[in-house]
């Protein structure tokens, strides 16, 4: 088992190294950092950013906006998903609205949000609106996949609806909710960064991305992109770890 873990780590390292080499080859071929900076210049920019206090303040604010929008979408998505999953009339009422939200282009939502909210609240609203349909849909799917025989047994033994919702529907929908949360978390980082680029709130990764583009500091642009990638992976792995801890406690 130990050897397998070591081999897996080496494998992941070699895969990352392979793509960095491919990146370096393309950078050498293009030979213009304004289009594609080399890995060396990108990591040099990243190194400078990591030794700047402003970088960590920026990461803190962007993380707050991302997670706040994500958590609101989880809470409301699960609550509304439960009610819509067990009540067909509520589902028919909310389904068109959620379908519209799901199909609206992200850029349209960002522009509308800029008109409606302060610049610092725009990313939160956009993250919420993009993640909510995922959580809502997964919750409903989980409830609809509840074992019919189990529900029939509950009916025979006159188990109250509250206990059915808490015990039967909850555990049926839980794997779907977890899957939806993981998907939504990854999307929330993308849409929050996009919203920050347009709304330009103070202390935001998006504003640094925008400045890098305006001043043609492309290595910085790539460095901030790597930071977003790292944060997304970090929080996704943290969420998976929390799910595993919760499963082990059960």
């Amino acid at each position: 088992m130990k050897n397998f873990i070591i081999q897996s780590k080496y494998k992941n390292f070699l895969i990352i190294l392979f793509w960095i080499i491919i990146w370096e080859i393309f950078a050498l071929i293009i030979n213009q950092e304004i289009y594609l900076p080399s890995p060396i210049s990108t990591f040099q920019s990243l190194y400078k950013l990591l030794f700047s206090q402003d970088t960590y303040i920026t990461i803190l604010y962007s993380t707050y906006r991302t997670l706040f929008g994500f958590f609101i979408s989880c809470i409301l998505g699960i609550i509304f998903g439960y009610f819509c999953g067990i009540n067909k009339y509520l589902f028919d009422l909310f389904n068109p609205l959620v379908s519209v939200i799901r199909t609206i282009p992200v850029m349209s939502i960002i522009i509308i949000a800029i008109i409606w909210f302060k610049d610092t609240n725009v990313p939160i609203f956009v993250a919420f609106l993009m993640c909510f349909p995922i959580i809502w849909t997964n919750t409903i799917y989980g409830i609809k996949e509840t074992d019919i025989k189990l529900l029939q047994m509950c009916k025979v033994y006159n188990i109250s609806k509250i206990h059915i919702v808490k015990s039967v529907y909850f555990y049926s929908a839980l794997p779907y909710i977890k899957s939806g949360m993981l998907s939504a978390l990854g999307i929330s980082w993308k849409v929050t960064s996009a919203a920050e680029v347009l709304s330009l709130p103070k202390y935001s990764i998006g504003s640094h991305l925008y400045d890098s583009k305006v001043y043609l500091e492309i290595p910085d642009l790539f460095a901030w992109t790597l930071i977003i990638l790292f944060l997304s992976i970090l929080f996704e792995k943290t969420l998976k770890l929390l799910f595993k801890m919760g499963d082990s406690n059960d």
Side-chain angles (χ1 to χ4, degrees):
M1 183 67 180
K2 202 172 183 180
N3 290 334
F4 175 77
I5 294 170
I6 293 170
Q7 288 175 3
S8 179
K9 286 182 178 179
Y10 277 121
K11 181 182 175 183
N12 292 334
F13 172 76
L14 291 172
I15 288 171
I16 293 169
L17 184 62
F18 169 79
W19 286 111
I20 290 175
I21 292 169
I22 296 296
W23 175 8
E24 176 66 25
I25 291 168
F26 273 99
L28 289 171
I29 292 169
I30 295 170
N31 198 27
Q32 290 197 39
E33 291 217 332
I34 195 171
Y35 295 115
L36 182 65
S38 67
I40 294 171
S41 59
T42 299
F43 286 118
Q44 283 175 343
S45 296
L46 181 62
Y47 181 80
K48 289 177 184 177
L49 289 175
L50 293 177
F51 282 91
S52 170
Q53 185 181 358
D54 183 63
T55 299
Y56 295 96
I57 296 171
T58 299
I59 289 172
L60 186 65
Y61 275 89
S62 287
T63 301
Y64 156 73
R65 296 186 190 102
T66 302
L67 295 184
F68 191 49
F70 169 71
F71 282 128
I72 294 172
S73 70
C74 288
I75 294 167
L76 295 181
I78 292 169
I79 292 171
F80 280 95
Y82 261 98
F83 282 113
C84 293
I86 61 179
N87 190 304
K88 186 180 181 301
Y89 298 106
L90 279 176
F91 174 79
D92 291 338
L93 183 66
F94 279 92
N95 190 45
L97 176 63
V98 176
S99 297
V100 169
I101 294 171
R102 192 184 288 113
T103 54
I104 293 175
V106 178
M107 298 309 293
S108 297
I109 292 173
I110 294 172
I111 293 168
I112 292 168
I114 289 171
I115 298 169
W116 287 354
F117 302 104
K118 290 181 180 179
D119 53 6
T120 191
N121 293 329
V122 170
I124 296 172
F125 175 76
V126 174
F128 158 71
L129 214 59
M130 289 292 98
C131 295
F132 175 82
I134 299 170
I135 307 296
W136 183 84
T137 303
N138 277 43
T139 303
I140 290 172
Y141 277 147
I143 289 172
K144 288 186 175 179
E145 288 296 315
T146 304
D147 191 348
I148 296 173
K149 291 180 180 179
L150 193 58
L151 293 174
Q152 289 173 344
M153 187 180 72
C154 291
K155 195 173 182 181
V156 169
Y157 286 98
N158 291 321
I159 296 173
S160 65
K161 287 186 177 180
I162 295 173
H163 281 91
I164 292 172
V165 170
K166 285 169 62 178
S167 302
V168 181
Y169 284 129
F170 175 77
Y171 286 103
S172 175
L174 194 57
Y176 294 86
I177 292 171
K178 289 178 179 179
S179 176
M181 288 176 69
L182 288 169
S183 299
L185 184 59
I187 290 171
S188 65
W189 279 103
K190 296 176 185 178
V191 297
T192 300
S193 300
E196 286 178 344
V197 168
L198 289 183
S199 60
L200 298 175
K202 190 178 180 182
Y203 296 121
S204 65
I205 294 176
S207 63
H208 283 284
L209 291 172
Y210 180 81
D211 290 341
S212 300
K213 173 248 181 187
V214 169
Y215 299 110
L216 299 178
E217 296 171 345
I218 310 305
D220 283 358
L221 177 64
F222 273 63
W224 279 110
T225 304
L226 287 176
I227 288 173
I228 295 171
L229 179 64
F230 172 77
L231 290 171
S232 179
I233 294 170
L234 175 65
F235 280 95
E236 185 177 329
K237 287 189 177 294
T238 302
L239 189 58
K240 285 180 179 178
L241 183 62
L242 290 173
F243 287 157
K244 284 184 180 179
M245 289 171 63
D247 291 339
S248 62
N249 288 334
D250 292 341

